[in-house]
Amino acid sequence: MTDNKEQKIVVYTELRETDQNLILHGLKLAAIFKKELCLLYNYQHKKKKQRDEFKEKLQNYAAVIKQEVPEQKVSTLLISESQSRMPDLLAEDYEAVMFVLNSLNFKRYSTALSETSVPFLFVHPESKIMDYNHLVQPIDMRKETSDSSLWCSYFGRFNAAEIITISANDKTREAKNKVMKNTDLTRKLYQKFKIIHKRFKGSKSSLRNVFEALELALVSDCNLLVILGSSSITPVDWLIGLPERKIVNRAGKLPVMIINPRKDNYILCD
């Protein structure tokens, strides 16, 4: 691993053919934000004897990148850790600021997602949608909306992305005021950085607003949906599936970035 103090876009590889497209997305994001690309493989401890084989595969991935994109800084990391502990370990020790993962394996990463302070970007292994310059963002009553707005603003600042927001339509006065406040703060943030954005008022409440945003994203030229994860998770959620899992499944080949509202998020350094 190279200098741990440089912020990194981390691609969760699975050492399969599907890695190729995930790495392409990681390269695109690393170029947008001018960050190091880190190729990660987290192996099960019982497969420790295959460690050298895993290491060689990662290094082969990196060698191809260095040959094809010599200007891109790239590193590899082979580690054996619990999925839930992994994201924050990488954030604290290796300056990870974003993870790129296979959307078809959402369930495998869902526990880690609920514990992380770093955004998870779920990408379909066949997705060619990687311009990341037309975003859709749902705005609900949660104060953590500021985190998703901040990440949308990064795409606006560094990739000239245009952003469409769709605000929840809640019934109670308290909820309405919270949505209005979040919408106004988001608007001011985008205006500050001269980011092109459009605002829509949705028809769904804060509980269903994210699904309305997905519908809008799928019928538009959107190439990234940015959402907040679940603020509270019950045993029933684990049983029937988290709303964000349903979103990722329904999104198909549309990339979905999920930001955990349960933790303070790391910020991107200019």
Side-chain angles (χ1 to χ4, degrees), residues 123-170:
V123 175
H124 191 285
E126 297 178 2
S127 175
K128 304 301 180 186
I129 305 172
M130 60 178 72
D131 287 337
Y132 295 111
N133 58 5
H134 286 88
L135 281 57
V136 170
Q137 175 199 11
I139 295 179
D140 59 33
M141 63 183 288
R142 292 176 290 178
K143 61 182 178 61
E144 291 84 6
T145 295
S146 60
D147 292 331
S148 62
S149 298
L150 183 60
W151 268 98
C152 286
S153 77
Y154 291 150
F155 283 94
R157 292 162 60 189
F158 300 116
N159 198 39
E162 300 178 8
I163 303 166
I164 296 175
T165 62
I166 180 164
S167 298
N169 190 359
D170 288 296

Short mmCIF file of all heavy atoms in Angstrom, two decimals, residues 123-170:
data_model
loop_
_atom_site.label_atom_id
_atom_site.label_comp_id
_atom_site.label_asym_id
_atom_site.label_seq_id
_atom_site.Cartn_x
_atom_site.Cartn_y
_atom_site.Cartn_z
N VAL A 123 -22.69 -0.29 -7.90
CA VAL A 123 -22.63 -0.28 -9.35
C VAL A 123 -22.95 -1.67 -9.89
O VAL A 123 -22.38 -2.66 -9.43
CB VAL A 123 -21.22 0.15 -9.84
CG1 VAL A 123 -21.12 0.03 -11.35
CG2 VAL A 123 -20.91 1.57 -9.39
N HIS A 124 -23.83 -1.73 -10.87
CA HIS A 124 -24.10 -3.00 -11.53
C HIS A 124 -22.87 -3.39 -12.34
O HIS A 124 -22.28 -2.55 -13.04
CB HIS A 124 -25.32 -2.87 -12.45
CG HIS A 124 -25.84 -4.16 -12.97
ND1 HIS A 124 -25.20 -4.87 -13.98
CD2 HIS A 124 -26.94 -4.90 -12.62
CE1 HIS A 124 -25.89 -5.97 -14.24
NE2 HIS A 124 -26.93 -6.02 -13.43
N PRO A 125 -22.43 -4.65 -12.28
CA PRO A 125 -21.19 -5.04 -12.96
C PRO A 125 -21.24 -4.92 -14.48
O PRO A 125 -20.19 -5.01 -15.13
CB PRO A 125 -20.99 -6.50 -12.54
CG PRO A 125 -22.34 -6.97 -12.09
CD PRO A 125 -23.00 -5.77 -11.50
N GLU A 126 -22.43 -4.67 -15.05
CA GLU A 126 -22.54 -4.47 -16.49
C GLU A 126 -22.88 -3.03 -16.85
O GLU A 126 -23.09 -2.70 -18.02
CB GLU A 126 -23.60 -5.41 -17.08
CG GLU A 126 -23.26 -6.88 -16.92
CD GLU A 126 -24.35 -7.79 -17.45
OE1 GLU A 126 -25.36 -7.26 -17.97
OE2 GLU A 126 -24.22 -9.02 -17.35
N SER A 127 -22.91 -2.15 -15.85
CA SER A 127 -23.33 -0.77 -16.09
C SER A 127 -22.26 0.04 -16.82
O SER A 127 -21.10 0.07 -16.41
CB SER A 127 -23.65 -0.08 -14.77
OG SER A 127 -23.96 1.28 -14.99
N LYS A 128 -22.69 0.68 -17.90
CA LYS A 128 -21.81 1.60 -18.63
C LYS A 128 -22.18 3.05 -18.30
O LYS A 128 -21.68 3.99 -18.93
CB LYS A 128 -21.94 1.36 -20.14
CG LYS A 128 -21.65 -0.07 -20.56
CD LYS A 128 -20.26 -0.53 -20.18
CE LYS A 128 -20.00 -1.97 -20.62
NZ LYS A 128 -18.69 -2.46 -20.13
N ILE A 129 -23.05 3.23 -17.33
CA ILE A 129 -23.49 4.57 -16.93
C ILE A 129 -22.48 5.13 -15.94
O ILE A 129 -22.50 4.81 -14.75
CB ILE A 129 -24.89 4.51 -16.28
CG1 ILE A 129 -25.89 3.83 -17.21
CG2 ILE A 129 -25.38 5.90 -15.90
CD1 ILE A 129 -27.24 3.55 -16.58
N MET A 130 -21.57 5.95 -16.42
CA MET A 130 -20.52 6.41 -15.53
C MET A 130 -20.08 7.85 -15.77
O MET A 130 -18.97 8.24 -15.41
CB MET A 130 -19.31 5.48 -15.59
CG MET A 130 -18.65 5.33 -16.93
SD MET A 130 -17.18 4.24 -16.85
CE MET A 130 -17.94 2.64 -16.64
N ASP A 131 -20.95 8.67 -16.37
CA ASP A 131 -20.60 10.09 -16.54
C ASP A 131 -20.70 10.85 -15.22
O ASP A 131 -19.97 11.82 -15.00
CB ASP A 131 -21.51 10.75 -17.58
CG ASP A 131 -21.17 10.30 -18.99
OD1 ASP A 131 -20.02 9.87 -19.22
OD2 ASP A 131 -22.06 10.37 -19.87
N TYR A 132 -21.63 10.45 -14.37
CA TYR A 132 -21.79 11.06 -13.05
C TYR A 132 -21.96 12.58 -13.12
O TYR A 132 -21.42 13.31 -12.30
CB TYR A 132 -20.59 10.71 -12.15
CG TYR A 132 -20.50 9.23 -11.83
CD1 TYR A 132 -19.49 8.44 -12.35
CD2 TYR A 132 -21.47 8.62 -11.03
CE1 TYR A 132 -19.42 7.07 -12.07
CE2 TYR A 132 -21.41 7.25 -10.75
CZ TYR A 132 -20.38 6.50 -11.27
OH TYR A 132 -20.33 5.15 -11.00
N ASN A 133 -22.73 13.03 -14.10
CA ASN A 133 -22.93 14.48 -14.24
C ASN A 133 -24.40 14.90 -14.26
O ASN A 133 -24.70 16.06 -14.50
CB ASN A 133 -22.20 15.01 -15.48
CG ASN A 133 -22.67 14.33 -16.76
OD1 ASN A 133 -23.60 13.52 -16.75
ND2 ASN A 133 -22.02 14.65 -17.87
N HIS A 134 -25.30 13.96 -14.02
CA HIS A 134 -26.72 14.27 -13.87
C HIS A 134 -27.25 13.48 -12.68
O HIS A 134 -27.49 12.28 -12.79
CB HIS A 134 -27.50 13.93 -15.14
CG HIS A 134 -27.28 14.88 -16.27
ND1 HIS A 134 -26.24 14.73 -17.16
CD2 HIS A 134 -27.93 16.03 -16.62
CE1 HIS A 134 -26.27 15.73 -18.04
NE2 HIS A 134 -27.28 16.53 -17.74
N LEU A 135 -27.43 14.16 -11.56
CA LEU A 135 -27.77 13.50 -10.30
C LEU A 135 -29.22 13.76 -9.91
O LEU A 135 -29.78 14.83 -10.22
CB LEU A 135 -26.88 14.02 -9.17
CG LEU A 135 -25.45 13.47 -9.04
CD1 LEU A 135 -24.63 13.67 -10.32
CD2 LEU A 135 -24.74 14.10 -7.87
N VAL A 136 -29.81 12.80 -9.24
CA VAL A 136 -31.11 12.98 -8.60
C VAL A 136 -30.94 12.76 -7.11
O VAL A 136 -30.31 11.78 -6.69
CB VAL A 136 -32.18 12.02 -9.17
CG1 VAL A 136 -33.44 12.06 -8.32
CG2 VAL A 136 -32.51 12.38 -10.61
N GLN A 137 -31.50 13.67 -6.32
CA GLN A 137 -31.36 13.61 -4.86
C GLN A 137 -32.72 13.80 -4.20
O GLN A 137 -33.35 14.84 -4.35
CB GLN A 137 -30.41 14.72 -4.38
CG GLN A 137 -30.30 14.81 -2.86
CD GLN A 137 -29.76 16.14 -2.37
OE1 GLN A 137 -29.64 17.09 -3.16
NE2 GLN A 137 -29.44 16.22 -1.10
N PRO A 138 -33.20 12.83 -3.44
CA PRO A 138 -34.42 13.04 -2.65
C PRO A 138 -34.11 13.86 -1.40
O PRO A 138 -33.04 13.71 -0.80
CB PRO A 138 -34.84 11.61 -2.27
CG PRO A 138 -33.57 10.83 -2.26
CD PRO A 138 -32.68 11.45 -3.31
N ILE A 139 -35.02 14.73 -1.04
CA ILE A 139 -34.87 15.53 0.17
C ILE A 139 -36.04 15.22 1.10
O ILE A 139 -37.20 15.43 0.73
CB ILE A 139 -34.84 17.05 -0.15
CG1 ILE A 139 -33.59 17.37 -0.97
CG2 ILE A 139 -34.86 17.87 1.13
CD1 ILE A 139 -33.48 18.83 -1.36
N ASP A 140 -35.74 14.71 2.28
CA ASP A 140 -36.80 14.41 3.24
C ASP A 140 -36.63 15.26 4.49
O ASP A 140 -35.93 16.28 4.47
CB ASP A 140 -36.85 12.91 3.55
CG ASP A 140 -35.53 12.37 4.11
OD1 ASP A 140 -34.82 13.11 4.82
OD2 ASP A 140 -35.21 11.19 3.84
N MET A 141 -37.24 14.84 5.59
CA MET A 141 -37.26 15.67 6.78
C MET A 141 -36.02 15.50 7.67
O MET A 141 -35.85 16.24 8.63
CB MET A 141 -38.52 15.36 7.60
CG MET A 141 -38.56 13.93 8.12
SD MET A 141 -40.10 13.55 9.02
CE MET A 141 -39.82 14.50 10.52
N ARG A 142 -35.15 14.57 7.36
CA ARG A 142 -34.01 14.29 8.22
C ARG A 142 -32.90 15.35 8.07
O ARG A 142 -32.60 15.77 6.96
CB ARG A 142 -33.44 12.90 7.91
CG ARG A 142 -34.36 11.77 8.30
CD ARG A 142 -33.80 10.42 7.88
NE ARG A 142 -33.81 10.24 6.43
CZ ARG A 142 -33.34 9.15 5.82
NH1 ARG A 142 -32.83 8.16 6.54
NH2 ARG A 142 -33.40 9.04 4.51
N LYS A 143 -32.32 15.71 9.21
CA LYS A 143 -31.26 16.73 9.18
C LYS A 143 -30.02 16.24 8.44
O LYS A 143 -29.23 17.03 7.94
CB LYS A 143 -30.89 17.17 10.59
CG LYS A 143 -30.34 16.08 11.49
CD LYS A 143 -30.04 16.62 12.89
CE LYS A 143 -29.52 15.55 13.84
NZ LYS A 143 -28.26 14.94 13.38
N GLU A 144 -29.86 14.91 8.35
CA GLU A 144 -28.70 14.35 7.66
C GLU A 144 -28.76 14.54 6.15
O GLU A 144 -27.82 14.20 5.43
CB GLU A 144 -28.57 12.85 7.97
CG GLU A 144 -28.17 12.54 9.40
CD GLU A 144 -29.37 12.53 10.34
OE1 GLU A 144 -30.52 12.65 9.85
OE2 GLU A 144 -29.16 12.39 11.56
N THR A 145 -29.86 15.14 5.66
CA THR A 145 -29.93 15.51 4.25
C THR A 145 -28.73 16.36 3.87
O THR A 145 -28.27 16.33 2.72
CB THR A 145 -31.24 16.25 3.95
OG1 THR A 145 -32.34 15.36 4.14
CG2 THR A 145 -31.27 16.77 2.52
N SER A 146 -28.21 17.11 4.83
CA SER A 146 -27.04 17.95 4.55
C SER A 146 -25.85 17.12 4.08
O SER A 146 -25.02 17.59 3.30
CB SER A 146 -26.66 18.76 5.80
OG SER A 146 -26.32 17.90 6.88
N ASP A 147 -25.75 15.86 4.53
CA ASP A 147 -24.66 14.99 4.10
C ASP A 147 -24.80 14.60 2.64
O ASP A 147 -23.83 14.62 1.88
CB ASP A 147 -24.60 13.73 4.96
CG ASP A 147 -24.17 14.01 6.39
OD1 ASP A 147 -23.42 14.98 6.61
OD2 ASP A 147 -24.59 13.27 7.30
N SER A 148 -26.02 14.24 2.23
CA SER A 148 -26.21 13.89 0.82
C SER A 148 -26.06 15.12 -0.07
O SER A 148 -25.53 15.03 -1.18
CB SER A 148 -27.58 13.23 0.61
OG SER A 148 -28.64 14.10 0.93
N SER A 149 -26.48 16.28 0.42
CA SER A 149 -26.32 17.51 -0.34
C SER A 149 -24.85 17.85 -0.53
O SER A 149 -24.42 18.29 -1.61
CB SER A 149 -27.03 18.68 0.36
OG SER A 149 -28.41 18.45 0.45
N LEU A 150 -24.06 17.62 0.51
CA LEU A 150 -22.63 17.90 0.42
C LEU A 150 -21.98 17.02 -0.65
O LEU A 150 -21.19 17.51 -1.47
CB LEU A 150 -21.96 17.67 1.77
CG LEU A 150 -20.46 18.00 1.86
CD1 LEU A 150 -20.22 19.47 1.54
CD2 LEU A 150 -19.92 17.65 3.24
N TRP A 151 -22.32 15.74 -0.66
CA TRP A 151 -21.73 14.86 -1.66
C TRP A 151 -22.21 15.19 -3.07
O TRP A 151 -21.43 15.15 -4.03
CB TRP A 151 -22.00 13.39 -1.32
CG TRP A 151 -20.89 12.84 -0.48
CD1 TRP A 151 -20.85 12.70 0.87
CD2 TRP A 151 -19.61 12.41 -0.95
NE1 TRP A 151 -19.63 12.21 1.27
CE2 TRP A 151 -18.84 12.01 0.18
CE3 TRP A 151 -19.02 12.31 -2.22
CZ2 TRP A 151 -17.54 11.54 0.06
CZ3 TRP A 151 -17.72 11.83 -2.33
CH2 TRP A 151 -17.00 11.46 -1.20
N CYS A 152 -23.46 15.56 -3.21
CA CYS A 152 -23.93 16.02 -4.52
C CYS A 152 -23.16 17.25 -4.97
O CYS A 152 -22.81 17.40 -6.14
CB CYS A 152 -25.43 16.33 -4.46
SG CYS A 152 -26.50 14.88 -4.39
N SER A 153 -22.87 18.13 -4.02
CA SER A 153 -22.14 19.36 -4.36
C SER A 153 -20.72 19.04 -4.84
O SER A 153 -20.17 19.75 -5.67
CB SER A 153 -22.09 20.32 -3.17
OG SER A 153 -21.14 19.93 -2.19
N TYR A 154 -20.12 17.97 -4.31
CA TYR A 154 -18.79 17.57 -4.78
C TYR A 154 -18.84 17.22 -6.27
O TYR A 154 -17.96 17.61 -7.04
CB TYR A 154 -18.29 16.35 -4.01
CG TYR A 154 -17.95 16.60 -2.55
CD1 TYR A 154 -18.09 15.57 -1.61
CD2 TYR A 154 -17.51 17.85 -2.10
CE1 TYR A 154 -17.77 15.77 -0.28
CE2 TYR A 154 -17.21 18.05 -0.77
CZ TYR A 154 -17.34 17.01 0.14
OH TYR A 154 -17.03 17.22 1.46
N PHE A 155 -19.87 16.48 -6.67
CA PHE A 155 -20.01 16.15 -8.09
C PHE A 155 -20.28 17.40 -8.91
O PHE A 155 -19.82 17.52 -10.05
CB PHE A 155 -21.13 15.13 -8.29
CG PHE A 155 -20.76 13.72 -7.91
CD1 PHE A 155 -21.04 13.24 -6.64
CD2 PHE A 155 -20.12 12.89 -8.81
CE1 PHE A 155 -20.69 11.94 -6.28
CE2 PHE A 155 -19.77 11.59 -8.46
CZ PHE A 155 -20.05 11.11 -7.19
N GLY A 156 -21.02 18.34 -8.33
CA GLY A 156 -21.26 19.60 -9.03
C GLY A 156 -20.00 20.43 -9.19
O GLY A 156 -19.74 20.99 -10.26
N ARG A 157 -19.19 20.48 -8.15
CA ARG A 157 -17.97 21.29 -8.18
C ARG A 157 -16.88 20.68 -9.03
O ARG A 157 -16.21 21.39 -9.78
CB ARG A 157 -17.46 21.48 -6.75
CG ARG A 157 -18.35 22.33 -5.86
CD ARG A 157 -18.03 22.13 -4.40
NE ARG A 157 -16.65 22.48 -4.08
CZ ARG A 157 -16.06 22.23 -2.91
NH1 ARG A 157 -16.74 21.62 -1.96
NH2 ARG A 157 -14.82 22.59 -2.70
N PHE A 158 -16.68 19.37 -8.92
CA PHE A 158 -15.54 18.72 -9.57
C PHE A 158 -15.88 18.04 -10.90
O PHE A 158 -14.97 17.66 -11.63
CB PHE A 158 -14.92 17.70 -8.62
CG PHE A 158 -14.42 18.31 -7.33
CD1 PHE A 158 -14.99 17.96 -6.12
CD2 PHE A 158 -13.41 19.25 -7.34
CE1 PHE A 158 -14.55 18.52 -4.93
CE2 PHE A 158 -12.96 19.83 -6.15
CZ PHE A 158 -13.53 19.46 -4.95
N ASN A 159 -17.18 17.90 -11.19
CA ASN A 159 -17.55 17.23 -12.43
C ASN A 159 -18.63 17.99 -13.19
O ASN A 159 -19.24 17.44 -14.11
CB ASN A 159 -18.04 15.80 -12.13
CG ASN A 159 -18.04 14.90 -13.34
OD1 ASN A 159 -17.13 14.95 -14.17
ND2 ASN A 159 -19.06 14.06 -13.46
N ALA A 160 -18.87 19.23 -12.79
CA ALA A 160 -19.88 20.07 -13.44
C ALA A 160 -21.23 19.37 -13.53
O ALA A 160 -21.97 19.52 -14.51
CB ALA A 160 -19.40 20.50 -14.84
N ALA A 161 -21.55 18.60 -12.51
CA ALA A 161 -22.81 17.85 -12.51
C ALA A 161 -24.00 18.76 -12.28
O ALA A 161 -23.92 19.74 -11.53
CB ALA A 161 -22.77 16.77 -11.44
N GLU A 162 -25.11 18.43 -12.93
CA GLU A 162 -26.38 19.08 -12.69
C GLU A 162 -27.19 18.21 -11.73
O GLU A 162 -27.13 16.99 -11.82
CB GLU A 162 -27.14 19.28 -14.01
CG GLU A 162 -26.38 20.14 -15.01
CD GLU A 162 -27.12 20.30 -16.33
OE1 GLU A 162 -28.30 19.85 -16.40
OE2 GLU A 162 -26.54 20.84 -17.28
N ILE A 163 -27.93 18.86 -10.86
CA ILE A 163 -28.61 18.11 -9.80
C ILE A 163 -30.12 18.41 -9.82
O ILE A 163 -30.52 19.58 -9.90
CB ILE A 163 -28.04 18.47 -8.42
CG1 ILE A 163 -26.53 18.20 -8.40
CG2 ILE A 163 -28.74 17.67 -7.31
CD1 ILE A 163 -25.82 18.82 -7.22
N ILE A 164 -30.91 17.37 -9.74
CA ILE A 164 -32.36 17.51 -9.59
C ILE A 164 -32.72 17.04 -8.18
O ILE A 164 -32.37 15.93 -7.78
CB ILE A 164 -33.12 16.66 -10.62
CG1 ILE A 164 -32.83 17.14 -12.04
CG2 ILE A 164 -34.62 16.70 -10.34
CD1 ILE A 164 -33.45 16.28 -13.12
N THR A 165 -33.38 17.90 -7.42
CA THR A 165 -33.85 17.51 -6.09
C THR A 165 -35.36 17.31 -6.13
O THR A 165 -36.07 18.03 -6.85
CB THR A 165 -33.50 18.55 -5.02
OG1 THR A 165 -34.15 19.80 -5.34
CG2 THR A 165 -31.99 18.78 -4.96
N ILE A 166 -35.83 16.36 -5.37
CA ILE A 166 -37.27 16.13 -5.25
C ILE A 166 -37.61 16.09 -3.76
O ILE A 166 -37.15 15.21 -3.03
CB ILE A 166 -37.72 14.86 -6.00
CG1 ILE A 166 -39.23 14.65 -5.86
CG2 ILE A 166 -36.93 13.64 -5.59
CD1 ILE A 166 -39.79 13.67 -6.86
N SER A 167 -38.35 17.07 -3.32
CA SER A 167 -38.64 17.23 -1.90
C SER A 167 -39.88 16.44 -1.49
O SER A 167 -40.85 16.34 -2.24
CB SER A 167 -38.86 18.71 -1.56
OG SER A 167 -37.69 19.45 -1.83
N ALA A 168 -39.82 15.88 -0.30
CA ALA A 168 -40.94 15.10 0.23
C ALA A 168 -42.16 16.00 0.46
O ALA A 168 -42.03 17.20 0.68
CB ALA A 168 -40.53 14.42 1.53
N ASN A 169 -43.32 15.38 0.43
CA ASN A 169 -44.57 16.09 0.65
C ASN A 169 -45.25 15.51 1.89
O ASN A 169 -46.14 14.66 1.80
CB ASN A 169 -45.47 15.95 -0.59
CG ASN A 169 -46.68 16.85 -0.53
OD1 ASN A 169 -46.89 17.58 0.44
ND2 ASN A 169 -47.50 16.81 -1.57
N ASP A 170 -44.79 15.95 3.05
CA ASP A 170 -45.32 15.43 4.31
C ASP A 170 -46.58 16.18 4.71
O ASP A 170 -46.87 17.28 4.22
CB ASP A 170 -44.26 15.55 5.40
CG ASP A 170 -43.13 14.55 5.23
OD1 ASP A 170 -43.40 13.34 5.31
OD2 ASP A 170 -41.98 14.97 4.98
#
